[in-house]
Amino acid sequence: MLAVAAAQLGYRTHVYAPETGPANDVSGTYTRGGYYDAGELAKFARAVDVITYEFENIAVAPIEGVALMAPIHPSPRSLAVAQDRAEEKAFVEALGGRPAPWRRVDNRAALDEAIAAIGCPAILKTATLGYDGKGQARIASPADADAAWEAIAGAPAVLEGFVTFDHEFSILLVRGADGAIASYPPPHNEHRDGILARSSVPAPAPVAAQWTEAAALAGRVAEALDHVGVLTLEFFATADGPVFNEMAPRVHNSGHWTIEGAVTSQFENHIRAICGLPLGDTGLTGTRVVMENLIGEDAAGWDAILGERDAHLHLYGKHEARPGRKMGHVTRVTR
């Protein structure tokens, strides 16, 4: 989707990845190489004018290396903070944000201490490499600690207390190299089995009431990181205001609705930002926009979706449908 947006602005995309994927079908050039392959990375960096990434589960060191050879946005600092749950929570707290109660857990004894401090129920999450509900274990009582520790294979982690909330939502903003910031209306996010199932705008009233506070925090995060490109922060809407959940230094699944539902999509605005272009309008194109992920076999109903008026189908070209795998999405715009 980034490559498509870049092509519409007259740019050519060169993809670097350890294996082939859907982006290869719409990009001009592809290099298959490992993230620690210094030689291939150097050749790639010399062949492009600007570098970006759309996945935070990559090591920081290679990104820091290519940053010495070509401009890269977002910066390695954004990646380093966002990919470590403990660091991102501490970073956001320092800027006035409020995450759920949490403790760093580096060993089995620390887990018991964290449970005693936070209480149960709680969720144990790996500090890195977790997404779509992966790398997580619920703890209903202290008796579950051993099983939870085994479930994450003893990896460095954080323990998070449960939060009572009405809705989940995200703030998607884009920041240009000149410091200009544009923010999208916050989508209401609904999850199924730990995976985003639906995002809709406008969001319900409790979310709308917390939009300004959450967007202000996201802006402070972007400025503190000198972030260039799209930045996403996820929140819980609670009776006491927005509670920070996590951040992503990239375009985000909860912003896929912007392709048809906003004047300028998150993908185009990301390309605009990293290429030094003016940011585009983030306003809605309709009165209501709903994006639904097509997960696993959901994508098999593509032909019926194509028959719907005001439905916009996106299939990603993944070759195998597996449970929990995002195969595409459909966006419905009410005008």
Side-chain angles (χ1 to χ4, degrees):
M1 287 174 273
L2 281 167
V4 170
Q8 290 174 332
L9 292 174
Y11 295 112
R12 296 181 179 86
T13 302
H14 183 161
V15 173
Y16 184 99
E19 56 188 24
T20 59
N24 305 129
D25 296 334
V26 293
S27 62
T29 308
Y30 167 60
T31 294
R32 182 169 186 169
Y35 290 135
Y36 285 97
D37 190 331
E40 287 296 329
L41 282 169
K43 287 193 292 184
F44 166 74
R46 288 193 293 266
V48 299
D49 297 303
V50 62
I51 299 171
T52 192
Y53 51 88
E54 51 80 51
F55 181 57
E56 65 265 35
N57 287 337
I58 53 178
V60 174
I63 298 299
E64 292 175 330
V66 297
L68 300 175
M69 294 176 276
I72 184 165
H73 304 298
S75 70
R77 175 63 173 152
S78 291
L79 177 64
V81 170
Q83 72 178 199
D84 186 300
R85 293 185 192 276
E87 184 165 354
E88 77 172 357
K89 292 178 187 299
F91 187 83
V92 169
E93 279 183 321
L95 294 172
R98 183 165 59 98
W102 69 281
R103 292 291 187 279
R104 185 189 297 268
V105 176
D106 292 324
N107 52 59
R108 179 63 183 80
L111 176 56
D112 288 333
E113 295 171 2
I115 292 174
I118 293 176
C120 294
I123 303 180
L124 185 65
K125 299 180 179 180
T126 55
T128 60
L129 303 178
Y131 65 98
D132 285 349
K134 299 177 176 65
Q136 301 184 14
R138 294 198 174 203
I139 298 178
S141 73
D144 297 329
D146 284 335
W149 188 246
E150 183 177 345
I152 68 166
V158 297
L159 185 73
E160 295 181 7
F162 271 35
V163 173
T164 300
F165 61 92
D166 297 313
H167 304 284
E168 295 180 69
F169 69 99
S170 51
I171 296 294
L172 299 111
L173 65 77
V174 57
R175 183 174 183 270
D178 61 355
I181 290 179
S183 180
Y184 290 91
H188 172 216
N189 299 325
E190 301 169 76
H191 292 78
R192 184 172 66 242
D193 299 327
I195 302 173
L196 181 65
R198 174 184 295 181
S199 292
S200 54
V201 288
V207 172
Q210 298 180 17
W211 177 5
T212 300
E213 182 180 348
L217 173 62
R220 295 196 298 274
V221 171
E223 290 177 357
L225 293 171
D226 195 20
H227 186 93
V228 174
V230 171
L231 174 70
T232 307
L233 272 68
E234 297 182 54
F235 292 90
F236 301 112
T238 77
D240 298 319
V243 171
F244 169 77
N245 182 23
E246 61 186 20
M247 61 181 280
R250 54 171 172 82
V251 291
H252 195 259
N253 190 185
S254 67
H256 285 7
W257 62 269
T258 63
I259 297 175
E260 290 85 20
V263 176
T264 310
S265 76
Q266 64 165 346
F267 302 100
E268 180 179 331
N269 257 335
H270 186 81
I271 299 300
R272 285 179 179 230
I274 67 172
C275 293
L277 304 178
L279 303 181
D281 186 350
T282 56
L284 299 181
T285 59
T287 59
R288 179 169 172 78
V289 185
V290 178
M291 184 281 297
E292 292 185 355
N293 276 325
L294 301 176
I295 301 170
E297 292 299 329
D298 291 348
W302 61 267
D303 51 346
I305 294 171
L306 286 178
E308 294 182 36
R309 182 179 181 182
D310 297 329
H312 304 272
L313 177 67
H314 296 260
L315 296 177
Y316 303 153
K318 297 179 180 179
H319 300 300
E320 180 184 0
R322 299 194 298 265
R325 192 181 198 192
K326 297 171 184 173
M327 303 300 294
H329 73 269
V330 56
T331 301
R332 298 175 174 90
V333 180
T334 302
R335 293 182 169 85

